[in-house]
Amino acid sequence: MTPEDLEKLLVLAEQTKARDLAAYAQQVQQKQALEQARAELDARRQGGADFVALARWQNWVSREQARLAAAIREIGEAMGESRARAVRASARVQALEMLLERARLAALRQSRRRAEQNGVPPDA
């Protein structure tokens, strides 16, 4: 591949990397918000002598905590997949950068050889 082709691929790989990292960051924020909501439920306590209301409150809190725990579990699994995609995208970018550098060096060597064969001083 020519350096120009590799540069085009590198731009696409950078865009993919940015997209995957943004998706992962969004999932991290969602998980933090869910964990904060769960912590707020744990911190809030309803007092009073109305035992029926207190029992309803505790049932609601239990259901809400279970829902939040399930959501946190789901987002955790999705985060693992997103992180893996972001890591692969980052590795792709690094590999393309290395290939681009090699292609540029090969093109420079070839240019110098041609110049030398034509009797022109290199890098002129």
Side-chain angles (χ1 to χ4, degrees):
M1 295 185 104
T2 65
E4 293 80 22
D5 293 339
L6 287 171
E7 286 174 355
K8 290 176 186 176
L9 282 176
L10 184 60
V11 169
L12 292 174
E14 285 284 351
Q15 291 172 350
T16 302
K17 176 184 163 185
R19 181 198 66 207
D20 291 344
L21 287 174
Y24 180 68
Q26 182 181 13
Q27 290 172 335
V28 168
Q29 289 176 344
Q30 289 174 343
K31 184 177 179 183
Q32 289 173 343
L34 289 171
E35 288 174 342
Q36 182 178 0
R38 186 169 62 176
E40 288 173 3
L41 280 178
D42 289 339
R44 290 184 359 194
R45 296 286 183 246
Q46 182 176 355
D50 187 2
F51 293 112
V52 173
L54 183 60
R56 287 182 182 157
W57 166 258
Q58 289 175 341
N59 286 337
W60 177 82
V61 167
S62 297
R63 286 191 311 271
E64 192 66 12
Q65 285 178 333
R67 184 189 68 79
L68 288 172
I72 289 170
R73 219 176 11 261
E74 276 182 31
I75 198 93
E77 292 170 3
M79 281 174 56
E81 294 169 7
S82 291
R83 184 179 184 282
R85 275 194 307 274
V87 167
R88 277 193 305 274
S90 182
R92 225 179 274 124
V93 167
Q94 288 177 342
L96 283 171
E97 286 172 345
M98 290 186 327
L99 286 174
L100 178 60
E101 185 61 32
R102 288 180 189 166
R104 284 180 178 158
L105 288 173
L108 180 63
R109 273 190 240 115
Q110 185 177 9
S111 171
R112 286 180 178 167
R113 277 190 213 121
R114 284 184 183 155
E116 186 178 315
Q117 288 172 351
N118 293 332
V120 179
D123 298 326

